[in-house]
Amino acid sequence: RTEIKWTDAQIRWTEEEGVPEKVESEFSDPFADQNPMKTFVFRFDNIPTNSSDGEEDDKDHAGKGRSSVIDLHIRGYKTHSDEVWQSTGLTLWKASKYLCDYMVNHADELQNKRILELGAGLGLNGILAHRLAPTSSQVVITDGDTDALVQLRHNVDTNRTNDNVFATQLLWGVETAEAFSSASSDCGHSNSPLSSFDIILASDIIYAAVVIDPLWETVQKL
């Protein structure tokens, strides 16, 4: 699929407001953080779940004993870095951590599902969903921002356990959602359309009123 160059700064700043100096400036800031990137490290309890036949699922994707914890390493930018002015998805926000806690405590609901994450940014929520249901569920992690997608794809590759998860671009709206739903997935189900998701995940994704209608159009289509 052809990727469209886009960052969320294009809609967060109106023509009247103008783009903040931090985004526009072509000159380096001598006071800027010389190491703006950060690896966020998380450890979550991997609570045993029940499979569809009611038996406890205590095996991982290789058939070995299930680990009691899930360790994730998420690469991105520090919250106050200049890069985040351009693309809010380049860092982590509090709501994503709350959603992670919810998923850990309701991991049964993630089993045997097709899961979509919208506005994933660095991908923490979608990656955790994959790790909580690595063999029974397919997880598609999306963002529209091309800068964020670079980090998102890196994080998926770093933390995946198999090919049941992948990252791709999704810009919100009727036409883009229709095109997305008719595309084909190559993560283990090459002829499976990216439609009819059982669960849609999202956290901290509404940052401007203009995104609300396209967001709900996307949810309705998918």
Side-chain angles (χ1 to χ4, degrees):
R1 298 172 63 239
T2 302
E3 196 164 284
I4 299 170
K5 178 65 179 176
W6 184 87
T7 64
D8 65 37
Q10 294 175 226
I11 58 174
R12 284 189 294 116
W13 311 110
T14 66
E15 291 184 8
E16 292 77 13
E17 292 172 333
V19 180
E21 217 173 276
K22 285 189 176 183
V23 178
E24 285 188 331
S25 176
E26 297 179 359
F27 302 98
S28 60
D29 180 357
F31 301 105
D33 189 341
Q34 298 304 304
N35 184 23
M37 297 199 74
K38 177 179 180 179
T39 297
F40 302 87
V41 179
F42 296 92
R43 170 164 286 192
F44 299 99
D45 292 332
N46 197 8
I47 302 169
T49 60
N50 293 323
S51 62
S52 58
D53 58 8
E55 296 181 0
E56 187 178 277
D57 177 14
D58 60 357
K59 303 292 183 181
D60 67 10
H61 68 284
K64 301 176 183 178
R66 180 189 182 99
S67 172
S68 61
V69 296
I70 294 172
D71 291 315
L72 299 181
H73 293 79
I74 306 296
R75 188 181 74 180
Y77 285 81
K78 298 172 185 176
T79 303
H80 300 294
S81 66
D82 288 352
E83 288 79 4
V84 175
W85 284 76
Q86 178 80 22
S87 303
T88 58
L90 289 175
T91 193
L92 291 177
W93 304 96
K94 286 185 179 180
S96 64
K97 300 168 189 176
Y98 295 137
L99 181 54
C100 284
D101 291 339
Y102 180 89
M103 288 192 293
V104 167
N105 291 314
H106 297 82
D108 279 333
E109 298 176 19
L110 301 175
Q111 310 304 312
N112 302 298
K113 298 291 193 299
R114 299 192 70 243
I115 301 170
L116 171 70
E117 183 177 9
L118 297 176
L122 300 180
L124 174 62
N125 296 140
I127 291 169
L128 179 59
H130 162 65
R131 293 290 295 273
L132 289 168
T135 57
S136 68
S137 294
Q138 182 187 41
V139 182
V140 181
I141 309 177
T142 69
D143 202 284
D145 190 302
T146 42
D147 289 349
L149 280 165
V150 173
Q151 305 304 325
L152 172 56
R153 291 187 173 112
H154 168 84
N155 291 330
V156 169
D157 290 340
T158 298
N159 294 281
R160 74 195 317 159
T161 61
N162 56 38
D163 291 333
N164 283 348
V165 57
F166 75 101
T168 189
Q169 186 181 47
L170 174 57
L171 294 167
W172 301 341
V174 173
E175 292 183 3
T176 50
E178 287 177 345
F180 182 81
S181 67
S182 65
S184 295
S185 164
D186 61 359
C187 64
H189 304 280
S190 59
N191 296 317
S192 176
L194 292 173
S195 59
S196 302
F197 288 95
D198 303 299
I199 296 173
I200 296 180
L201 302 173
S203 65
D204 260 338
I205 60 171
I206 298 176
Y207 43 80
V210 69
V211 308
I212 296 175
D213 285 346
L215 168 61
W216 288 117
E217 290 168 357
T218 301
V219 170
Q220 289 170 349
K221 287 292 180 183
L222 300 178

